[in-house]
Amino acid sequence: MGLLVNRATIRGAEAAGGRTGCGRSVRLLVPALTVALGLLLGGVGATGASAVSVCAGRPAKTLRIGTGELRVYKTRSYACVLTVAAGPGAHRRMSVQIQPRGGRPVVDSGTFSRQAGPVTVHALNRCVRVSGMIAGRRGSTGWILC
């Protein structure tokens, strides 16, 4: 009897496109675990401004700001930016902002010891404007990545 139930269940799954109920949760879990593992391994042994970035894509622009950097990364359809202090240590005021042309700015600000951000916007066929601040020192760009 159990064999008949299993065959009926398999036929039902094939009729529904060959997918089972747990497939979606597994598809969502695998990328999350991959990102978590990458952050864990990337953070080990990384020091100062040479830390592995949490933004996806290729480095598009780096701007020196006082005692750190404003880093911009670009994929085909997204732009990501973060402000990184040259040396981690005492907490200091930091902020980062990115605005796609025709869109609203996305901001991350507060008191951080290492970095502000990352913040990401959809930037397929759009220019973006970025700015950042570390301990009162500001840096910004005009419209870039056009």
Side-chain angles (χ1 to χ4, degrees):
M1 182 83 179
L3 184 60
L4 294 176
V5 171
N6 286 339
R7 285 185 182 169
T9 304
I10 291 170
R11 284 191 193 117
E14 288 172 354
R19 297 191 179 179
T20 60
C22 68
R24 181 169 186 214
S25 62
V26 169
R27 284 193 309 264
L28 294 175
L29 182 63
V30 169
L33 289 175
T34 303
V35 169
L37 182 62
L39 290 174
L40 179 66
L41 294 178
V44 175
T47 60
S50 66
V52 175
S53 173
V54 292
C55 284
R58 61 176 171 78
K61 187 164 187 77
T62 302
L63 182 66
R64 259 332 254 158
I65 303 175
T67 60
E69 297 177 337
L70 178 67
R71 298 178 185 173
V72 182
Y73 294 84
K74 176 81 170 127
T75 64
R76 182 177 181 275
S77 56
Y78 288 92
C80 178
V81 64
L82 64 143
T83 304
V84 181
H91 284 77
R92 62 204 103 168
R93 293 280 308 151
M94 297 176 76
S95 70
V96 65
Q97 174 180 320
I98 184 168
Q99 177 182 6
R101 187 174 292 216
R104 294 179 182 234
V106 180
V107 179
D108 182 26
S109 65
T111 305
F112 305 104
S113 63
R114 171 162 283 175
Q115 73 180 34
V119 289
T120 303
V121 295
H122 188 264
L124 180 63
N125 299 325
R126 284 182 171 184
C127 303
V128 296
R129 181 170 45 196
V130 300
S131 63
M133 187 264 302
I134 300 175
R137 295 289 203 85
R138 296 187 180 276
S140 63
T141 67
W143 295 107
I144 59 172
L145 308 180
C146 297

